[in-house]
Amino acid sequence: VIHKMLESVILGLPGWSWPSLAGSVLAVSGFGLIALYSASSRTTVPHLEDADLDDPNLKGWIWASKVNCMVSPEELCWVPSLDHRSGDACSIQLEPSDFREEDFTLKRKGKPVKGLEEYRKSCRLRERAKKDTARCFLSHFEAFWDGLYKKSLQASDLQ
């Protein structure tokens, strides 16, 4: 089947001009790409918090497997602080520029949240992302394409 298809594409078909044959090949390729993108948008990638990173099947005797997962950059950037009016502990969210850039910057985002729960959650997520069994990406799209588009987060990105 493949031989017959390739033969007609390479040698041409009697009665078909090359531009129309090339256009039909381009159209079929375009439909294939659309189908692939459609499948990628419906594929689920677990959130870092929900990914099973301690699965014993991930530890092979020759090499270890990794779980592709995603986490929002904003979830990783909470810091502890003190409310200057009440003196209570609070968590402040910082907005990162991009974890992979050389000139990484953080800007304060929103109002402080009372308590340290958001900060602790952020610390837990960063520690999970550093595990050997995790391949963590900053979006669903990046995780689906498995590093083809952008590289996964490294331990040095999460300090």
Side-chain angles (χ1 to χ4, degrees):
V1 173
I2 294 174
H3 175 70
K4 284 293 179 191
M5 289 173 54
L6 285 178
E7 182 182 10
S8 63
V9 170
I10 294 170
L11 299 177
L13 294 173
W16 279 48
S17 64
W18 273 104
S20 63
L21 183 62
S24 63
V25 169
L26 181 62
V28 168
S29 300
F31 285 125
L33 187 61
I34 289 170
L36 182 64
Y37 184 76
S38 173
S40 74
S41 65
R42 287 176 280 147
T43 304
T44 58
V45 175
H47 187 274
L48 176 60
E49 203 167 25
D50 302 327
D52 186 10
L53 302 179
D54 299 320
D55 184 5
N57 295 327
L58 295 174
K59 294 179 177 32
W61 59 279
I62 295 178
W63 61 82
S65 298
K66 294 188 176 201
V67 175
N68 281 5
C69 54
M70 56 88 49
V71 65
S72 169
E74 291 82 19
E75 292 178 282
L76 299 172
C77 297
W78 286 85
V79 294
S81 184
L82 288 175
D83 186 348
H84 298 292
R85 294 187 184 137
S86 67
D88 294 333
C90 62
S91 299
I92 296 176
Q93 186 179 21
L94 301 176
E95 183 177 11
S97 56
D98 187 351
F99 284 102
R100 301 178 199 98
E101 290 180 359
E102 289 285 329
D103 302 334
F104 177 71
T105 58
L106 292 168
K107 293 185 279 185
R108 185 174 174 166
K109 181 179 178 182
K111 294 183 178 183
V113 175
K114 191 173 184 177
L116 296 175
E117 187 55 37
E118 293 295 330
Y119 165 69
R120 289 186 184 118
K121 181 181 175 185
S122 175
C123 289
R124 282 192 307 270
L125 287 173
R126 282 196 305 271
E127 288 305 313
R128 282 182 64 84
K130 289 179 187 178
K131 283 191 170 189
D132 291 339
T133 55
R135 185 180 296 126
C136 196
F137 295 91
L138 295 176
S139 73
H140 177 269
F141 181 79
E142 292 176 20
F144 175 79
W145 290 104
D146 195 13
L148 187 64
Y149 173 63
K150 284 193 176 179
K151 294 171 70 177
S152 63
L153 290 175
Q154 305 300 317
S156 60
D157 299 330
L158 299 166
Q159 294 181 4

